[in-house]
Amino acid sequence: FDRAGRVGGATIATYLLERSRVVAAAPGERSYHIFYQLCAGASPSQRKAWHLPSLKEGPKAFKYLAGTGTFALEDVDDAEGLAATLGAMGVIGLGEEAAEAVLRGVAAVLHLGNIEWAADGEGSKPKDKGSKAALAHAAELLGTEPAALHTALSTRAIEMTGERIVKPLEPAAATESRDALAKTLYARLFDWLVTAINRRISSLGGNANGAAGAANGGGAQATRRSIGILDIYGFECFETNSFEQLCINLANERLQQQFNAQVLAGEQAEYAAEGVDWSYIDFVDNQDCLDLLEGCGGGGGGAGGACEGVFPLIDEACRLPRATADDLASALRTRLAAHPRFGAPKRPPTAFAVEHYAGSVVYDPTALLDKNRDFTVAEHASLMAASSVPFLAALFAPDPEAEEGAAAATASRGGRSAFKLNSVGAQFRRQLGGLMATLGACQPHYIRCIKPNPGSVPGALAPEHVLEQLRAGGVLEAVRIACAGFPTRKPFRPFVQRYAILVADGRGRYEPLDVEALDDGAAREATRAVLTCPAANAGGRLEGWQLGRTRVFLRAGQLAA
């Protein structure tokens, strides 16, 4: 905000892009809306240029979308959605050429998903005519040759001392390589758009990383006249819980701890500092759950695995050659078994449970490793950096800062070449750390949104469902403290300045006070005089107030009385 209080700009930060949804959405769900918008709203010329299916076939023609069985949403017109998306691109300053380049990349992601592999000796080849056509279409849209894309997806170059060995990939590994390129391309398109939006709306120092600028307070041009709005994810516990739920629930644990420190512990610490007579109210501290998830001080070898954590063990498994979900499950169950917040349910036998502040959640380790890996395959990066499409080549231009600190891993799953691994979990935890630092430097206010019933049915209130949310969010403890404490507190001088008119002299007249001239002791006694005067206490309205060292503390509703 500027000095006149007008909005001057903003910066958007993103956390945990669910890139796994690009290649595998759950049954009954949809993938990202832009895919369906493109299928429904592309013009005839775009449909021809990007090799999109007819309106009748629509998203069913793409394997990344067809598997869920859900293609349309009630009361949603995807063709109108594409028009709105293109209009929004214009609003943020993207020209027609840039908007077309983004959609071209989205179409390429869809065609990549239609490439299926068959064994070809030790390597892989397109499975059928449809896969060959998809390979050709994807290559054209990516600005490369089909043969070059085939090589990048189905081989890995292993750098040995003094020599370079090119190893073909079997169909399963080639499919994984295909999905890795699709997810990386989509993520870079998404990040580029966030940067473009921030460039348009920001006067707070928005930068190329978007999220980093917001998490660090907005950059060098940040103003102190700013507010931040954080939409908390909400605790998640589904029938099947995977990597996304693990990250989201970690965020909720960290935010709950911040809420505890700010609202519960901070409130009671102020009473102690002011010398107010107060009975301390206990509340549950969730630090032990955070230690289980993140490890003590980043994970250390404590007795019985007490200082090892779920996320460090997932990262460790991602770096091990040929590690599987079963190996990860075994490591978690063995090395974290002694932690009181960790559980190993009998069914399914590889699952693990975490006792969160809001309740126990059982996690399925099946896809944790794949979803946690965020690696840039050297062959993919080289291919895309040499693209004949300038926009796509720029997306994959070498970025030394992005690669700094990334761990090198080698020879994983049948001869994958060396790649740079920077796990999604590690990135998310770093972002979360920056967010918590920002929140710690701010004066937060909270709005708790309560879902009235499990089915989101209008006009229905399920008391047990509501109570569970209040308990899980620490709201009940906050209400207990507010009811038992003093929600209204005022410094002595402002209090006296406003209410001294209630204090009359012996003849029933008010003598004006020079409040600014009062020292601390005099201001305190003047406050006492206001609170004990007949005008303030008619009918015994004021009870239970206390004078602290610098301010007066009153029960709820007493100033209104």
Side-chain angles (χ1 to χ4, degrees), residues 8 32 78 103 149 165 172 200 214 234 297 304 314 318 325 344 363 390 437 467 479 485 493-494 505 518:
Y32 289 106
D78 288 317
L103 296 181
L149 179 58
I165 301 175
R200 180 70 168 179
I314 296 174
C318 283
Y363 295 97
L467 183 62
V479 170
R493 286 184 180 81
D505 61 14
L518 298 177

Side-chain angles (χ1 to χ4, degrees), residues 16-194:
L16 193 66
L17 173 66
E18 196 177 348
R19 62 178 66 190
S20 62
R21 181 178 290 270
V22 173
V23 302
E29 296 183 354
R30 297 211 311 179
S31 185
Y32 289 106
H33 295 309
I34 188 62
F35 294 134
Y36 305 89
Q37 292 178 2
L38 189 63
C39 290
S43 67
S45 60
Q46 291 171 334
R47 200 172 295 279
K48 181 178 179 180
W50 300 334
H51 307 287
L52 298 176
S54 66
L55 288 173
K56 184 178 180 180
E57 292 180 284
K60 296 178 184 178
F62 294 110
K63 290 182 171 59
Y64 279 162
L65 308 180
T68 71
T70 301
F71 308 108
L73 298 178
E74 187 177 354
D75 299 327
V76 173
D77 187 318
D78 288 317
E80 290 183 0
L82 181 63
T85 299
L86 291 172
M89 288 180 172
V91 169
I92 65 170
L94 297 188
E96 183 177 341
E97 184 177 349
E100 293 263 331
V102 172
L103 296 181
R104 178 190 184 108
V106 172
V109 169
L110 292 174
H111 286 297
L112 283 171
N114 280 2
I115 303 172
E116 294 185 285
W117 302 101
D120 183 22
E122 294 183 358
S124 302
K125 63 180 180 180
K127 183 178 180 179
D128 48 31
K129 290 183 178 180
S131 294
K132 288 182 180 179
L135 179 69
H137 296 334
E140 178 186 337
L141 294 173
L142 295 176
T144 187
E145 293 297 323
L149 179 58
H150 182 190
T151 300
L153 295 180
S154 62
T155 63
R156 286 294 173 270
I158 302 175
E159 302 291 344
M160 308 292 287
T161 304
E163 64 177 323
R164 184 173 186 266
I165 301 175
V166 178
K167 180 178 178 63
L169 299 179
E170 60 185 17
T175 299
E176 183 181 339
S177 174
R178 174 205 69 188
D179 291 346
L181 177 57
K183 290 187 287 186
T184 299
L185 176 56
Y186 186 89
R188 296 200 181 197
L189 288 169
F190 188 93
D191 291 340
W192 185 89
L193 280 170
V194 171

Side-chain angles (χ1 to χ4, degrees), residues 1-2 203-204 217 219 221-226:
F1 297 88
D2 65 14
S203 65
L204 305 179
Q221 301 177 23
T223 170
R224 295 197 303 178
R225 299 180 180 87
S226 62

Side-chain angles (χ1 to χ4, degrees), residues 109-334:
V109 169
L110 292 174
H111 286 297
L112 283 171
N114 280 2
I115 303 172
E116 294 185 285
W117 302 101
D120 183 22
E122 294 183 358
S124 302
K125 63 180 180 180
K127 183 178 180 179
D128 48 31
K129 290 183 178 180
S131 294
K132 288 182 180 179
L135 179 69
H137 296 334
E140 178 186 337
L141 294 173
L142 295 176
T144 187
E145 293 297 323
L149 179 58
H150 182 190
T151 300
L153 295 180
S154 62
T155 63
R156 286 294 173 270
I158 302 175
E159 302 291 344
M160 308 292 287
T161 304
E163 64 177 323
R164 184 173 186 266
I165 301 175
V166 178
K167 180 178 178 63
L169 299 179
E170 60 185 17
T175 299
E176 183 181 339
S177 174
R178 174 205 69 188
D179 291 346
L181 177 57
K183 290 187 287 186
T184 299
L185 176 56
Y186 186 89
R188 296 200 181 197
L189 288 169
F190 188 93
D191 291 340
W192 185 89
L193 280 170
V194 171
T195 301
I197 294 169
N198 282 335
R199 189 182 301 117
R200 180 70 168 179
I201 69 175
S202 178
S203 65
L204 305 179
N207 52 49
N209 293 321
N216 293 319
Q221 301 177 23
T223 170
R224 295 197 303 178
R225 299 180 180 87
S226 62
I227 63 172
I229 301 174
L230 173 66
D231 184 358
I232 298 175
Y233 296 96
F235 186 78
E236 289 192 351
C237 181
F238 302 133
E239 184 175 345
T240 300
N241 299 288
S242 188
F243 186 73
E244 293 80 17
Q245 285 70 48
L246 190 61
C247 288
I248 287 170
N249 290 340
L250 168 63
N252 278 278
E253 291 284 356
R254 293 281 291 270
L255 291 165
Q256 183 64 29
Q257 186 182 60
Q258 196 271 348
F259 176 80
N260 288 348
Q262 182 74 27
V263 175
L264 307 182
E267 179 97 350
Q268 302 190 91
E270 183 177 358
Y271 294 151
E274 287 283 336
V276 172
D277 186 16
W278 168 258
S279 295
Y280 194 84
I281 293 179
D282 290 327
F283 58 89
V284 177
D285 182 15
N286 63 339
Q287 182 60 50
D288 56 346
C289 186
L290 289 169
D291 291 341
L292 169 62
L293 294 172
E294 300 188 88
C296 303
C307 278
E308 292 186 306
V310 172
F311 279 95
L313 288 178
I314 296 174
D315 284 351
E316 178 182 298
C318 283
R319 293 181 171 88
L320 293 176
R322 301 182 181 276
T324 65
D326 289 343
D327 298 327
L328 173 62
S330 177
L332 291 169
R333 284 173 168 244
T334 301

